[in-house]
Amino acid sequence: KQWYQRRVRGGYVDPRLPELGCRHIGTPPDEATPVDVDVYHKHRVRLGVSEGSRDITSGKDFPFQHNLDFLNGVSFSKGCYIGQELTARTHHVGETRKRVVPVSVSGELHVETLPTHISAGKRSAGKLLSVYGDVGLAVLRFPYLDQELSVAGTSVTVVGHKPAWWPAEVK
């Protein structure tokens, strides 16, 4: 499986978000130029899209925290699935207090320390999940968006931003 930033013949646009690019399974067409997987991950993180066990803690995180309701990852018409009741209740109540957002990172952070806590002074603001150079993904509480926050035990700071692809009604 290869990732391309542009649509290629025989490829398919990522169903989560068109800005994620195109994937192709099999022998790529001659005009296609695959992009390095690290470039893909940095692009995905910059967009604020979590993916797999590198960003999502199995059994602990909720689908709405990782924006799966915005990324075609949750069905409200499908039959039974694990967590369906809580997911449906959260959807109908319409309240999610924290979500995964892209963050700008200033300073150098060692990946082996992740995930780690983020704070605003003495108050917990969320959790930093992954970092690719100067960008990362964090689960942040909404009041802390667009504020400089401290990464636990380091001199590194992060600023979380609302992704442009989020629906307008999300704060």
Side-chain angles (χ1 to χ4, degrees), residues 8-78:
V8 295
R9 189 171 26 92
Y12 60 95
V13 175
D14 195 307
R16 296 172 296 175
L17 189 67
E19 291 89 339
L20 283 170
C22 184
R23 294 178 185 250
H24 189 277
I25 298 173
T27 305
D30 293 337
E31 77 273 8
T33 306
V35 176
D36 183 70
V37 70
D38 288 335
V39 172
Y40 163 74
H41 285 301
K42 190 167 184 173
H43 176 69
R44 166 185 73 73
V45 165
R46 190 172 273 119
L47 287 171
V49 177
S50 53
E51 183 174 275
S53 62
R54 73 180 70 234
D55 302 319
I56 302 170
T57 306
S58 179
K60 292 187 177 184
D61 293 347
F62 297 104
F64 288 90
Q65 284 180 332
H66 289 274
N67 303 310
L68 296 182
D69 50 333
F70 301 154
L71 296 169
N72 301 311
V74 176
S75 173
F76 297 104
S77 60
K78 179 184 170 194

Side-chain angles (χ1 to χ4, degrees), residues 45 103 105 107 109 111 114 128-137 158:
V45 165
V103 294
V105 179
L109 197 62
V111 177
L114 298 174
L128 184 63
L129 303 174
S130 56
V131 172
Y132 291 88
D134 61 346
V135 296
L137 279 180
V158 297

